[in-house]
Amino acid sequence: MPTVQASVVTPDGTVYEGDVDMVVVRTVEGELGILPNHIPLVSPLAIGAARMKKGSSEDSIAVSGGFVEVRPDKVTILAEAAERPSDIDVDRAQQAKDRAEQRVNAKNHDGINTARARAALDRAINRLNVAGK
Ligand code: ATP
C-alpha cells in the first residue's frame, strides 16, 4: 500500500515525521483527508488536531494554525505551534482555558480583544482534547 511522508514543523523545530497511510487536517474550510498521490495544494489551517493514520494506529497532534502543503508524496504542516499529546502541559492548557473564558465572558469588554481571547480559548480546548482531557 502506498504511503505519504508526513511532517509537522514549527518555528521551534520538527514535532512529527513519519510515513503514513492518511493525514487528516482541519483547514479553515473544514476537515481534509489526504491520501498518497493527492493533488498538490496549499491551505491555511484552523486550530485543530492533525491525525496521522497508519494501519490501525493513529497519532494526534494539536495544531494551532498555520498551513498545510500537499504534494503527491509529501504532506508538510507548517504550524504556528504544535504539540504531541505527551508534550502537552494539561495544567497550563486548563489555566489558559480559564483565563480565556473569563475574557470572552466578561461583561465589560473594555481593554479586551475578544477575537484574541476566543483564539486562545480554541487553542486551549484543542490541547485538552488532544491530551485526552
Ligand atoms: P499560554 O497562554 O499557556 O502561553 P498560548 O495558546 O497562548 O498558551 P501559544 O502562543 O499557542 O500559547 O504557544 C507558545 C508556545 O508554548 C508554543 O511553543 C507552544 O507549543 C507552547 N505551549 C503552549 N501551551 C502549551 C501547553 N499547554 N503544553 C505544552 N506546550 C504549550
Side-chain angles (χ1 to χ4, degrees), residues 10 45-49 61-67 77-83 119 122-124 126-127:
T10 75
L45 293 175
I47 295 163
I61 298 147
V63 173
S64 298
F67 288 89
I77 293 170
L78 297 164
E80 286 160 29
E83 304 89 33
D122 287 349
R123 290 195 298 277
N126 183 41
R127 286 178 175 125

Side-chain angles (χ1 to χ4, degrees), residues 26-124:
R26 189 150 172 242
T27 77
V28 292
E29 285 170 9
E31 280 227 321
L32 174 66
I34 306 156
L35 293 166
N37 299 315
H38 196 283
I39 51 161
L41 67 83
V42 172
S43 173
L45 293 175
I47 295 163
R51 296 183 348 245
M52 308 295 182
K53 299 190 182 212
K54 178 130 203 212
S56 56
S57 79
E58 183 175 306
D59 287 321
S60 281
I61 298 147
V63 173
S64 298
F67 288 89
V68 62
E69 183 195 22
V70 181
R71 285 193 263 141
D73 60 341
K74 195 163 169 35
V75 177
T76 308
I77 293 170
L78 297 164
E80 286 160 29
E83 304 89 33
R84 297 174 77 126
S86 57
D87 291 326
I88 293 175
D89 178 338
V90 171
D91 289 344
R92 176 174 167 180
Q94 189 60 54
Q95 283 169 24
K97 177 171 178 267
D98 293 346
R99 209 165 46 236
E101 268 170 352
Q102 280 173 16
R103 289 184 178 137
V104 168
N105 297 327
K107 293 218 165 54
N108 180 350
H109 280 269
D110 288 353
I112 292 179
N113 182 335
T114 307
R116 188 173 157 191
R118 275 188 206 287
L121 182 56
D122 287 349
R123 290 195 298 277

